Amino acid sequence: MAEVPSTKPQRIVILISGRGSNMQSIVEMAKGHSDMEVVAVIANRADSAGLIWAAEQGIATELIEHRDFADRLAFDQALMARIDTYQPDWVVLAGFMRILTDVFVSHYMAKLINIHPSLLPLFPGLDTHQRALSAACTVHGSTVHFVTPELDAGPTIAQSLVPVLQSDNEESLTARVLGMEHTLYPAVVEYLVRGDCFLNEQGEVQWSQPVQRLFAHSALKDFMSN
């Protein structure tokens, strides 16, 4: 009887700048899957608490301080060289607070993803939760997308929605959106590893089979019916 060849797990490198709560949700999800492995967590800030947590999980960690480099390109080139030593199938931005150069994005095109705390194309950039409140939005959320050279403009893979309550302030809305991100982002990573979705040659997200692409907060149905 012929031996069935083993399939190597897809290798994931995660980039963070802070505590890495989305990174943690992806790592915890990946622990239960033989087809994927988080092989490294890399941060650009020495005070990134997520590095300590990742090291406690037995994951390789790296610190590459962006302030140690003369310009953005020099940092990105050093970061690329370090990432490539891990031979990643996916590079996941999880609260990585750096604008990446075209050189970096092109190097990882179609395997570089990010999560943004708004329903893109609404509110690209920073301060998204306060901007949603100031615009009197009734729903808000987050978007996972492939990264392209234009900031926060890459093809959308999936989004999560939460209601904006009359009692909300920036802190409460931020917490509710982040809670949904911890469900959304790991699910998208699963989709990508399984091949359920990918970036095709036309630069569009293509799905190999129907999947749930929208993650709604449990309170949203009741909120919208009122």
Side-chain angles (χ1 to χ4, degrees):
M1 183 176 180
E3 183 178 347
V4 177
S6 61
T7 301
K8 292 183 178 180
Q10 293 195 27
R11 300 169 64 82
I12 301 168
V13 171
I14 303 178
L15 307 185
I16 63 172
S17 291
R19 60 178 176 163
S21 66
N22 272 313
M23 174 271 293
Q24 294 180 30
S25 68
I26 293 169
V27 168
E28 293 293 354
M29 176 276 296
K31 287 179 180 179
H33 294 265
S34 60
D35 57 354
M36 68 181 83
E37 180 184 4
V38 177
V39 294
V41 173
I42 302 176
N44 67 309
R45 295 174 57 98
D47 59 355
S48 297
L51 284 181
I52 298 173
W53 185 90
E56 290 172 346
Q57 311 307 305
I59 300 170
T61 60
E62 303 266 6
L63 172 63
I64 307 176
E65 286 263 22
H66 64 272
R67 289 173 291 189
D68 292 342
F69 296 87
D71 54 38
R72 194 176 299 277
L73 179 58
F75 168 73
D76 279 8
Q77 289 174 329
L79 181 59
M80 287 162 50
R82 195 70 60 85
I83 291 171
D84 286 351
T85 64
Y86 294 98
Q87 300 179 312
D89 297 288
W90 299 101
V91 178
V92 177
L93 309 181
F96 188 65
M97 303 304 290
R98 294 287 298 170
I99 296 176
L100 298 165
T101 60
D102 291 2
V103 170
F104 186 99
V105 173
S106 296
H107 186 65
Y108 299 109
M109 185 65 71
K111 63 180 181 180
L112 178 64
I113 62 172
N114 184 40
I115 190 164
H116 181 76
S118 81
L119 297 174
L120 292 172
L122 295 175
F123 313 126
L126 302 175
D127 303 319
T128 58
H129 306 302
Q130 184 56 56
R131 289 160 68 191
L133 290 169
S134 298
C137 294
T138 57
V139 292
H140 187 42
S142 57
T143 304
V144 180
H145 62 94
F146 283 103
V147 179
T148 58
E150 185 179 355
L151 180 66
D152 296 332
T156 292
I157 302 171
Q159 293 180 310
S160 62
L161 273 73
V162 301
V164 180
L165 308 177
Q166 290 186 352
S167 59
D168 268 331
N169 55 29
E170 185 176 7
E171 182 179 2
S172 64
L173 185 57
T174 298
R176 199 157 58 256
V177 170
L178 184 60
M180 283 301 295
E181 288 182 4
H182 295 163
T183 299
L184 175 68
Y185 216 0
V188 169
V189 172
E190 284 190 88
Y191 292 161
L192 294 169
V193 168
R194 291 197 309 250
D196 288 341
C197 65
F198 55 92
L199 193 66
N200 65 23
E201 294 181 356
Q202 290 72 45
E204 301 169 336
V205 175
Q206 184 170 329
W207 294 82
S208 62
Q209 58 182 326
V211 293
Q212 183 178 350
R213 296 180 58 190
L214 186 66
F215 294 80
H217 187 277
S218 59
L220 186 62
K221 183 177 180 180
D222 293 337
F223 172 77
M224 295 298 287
S225 64
N226 291 333

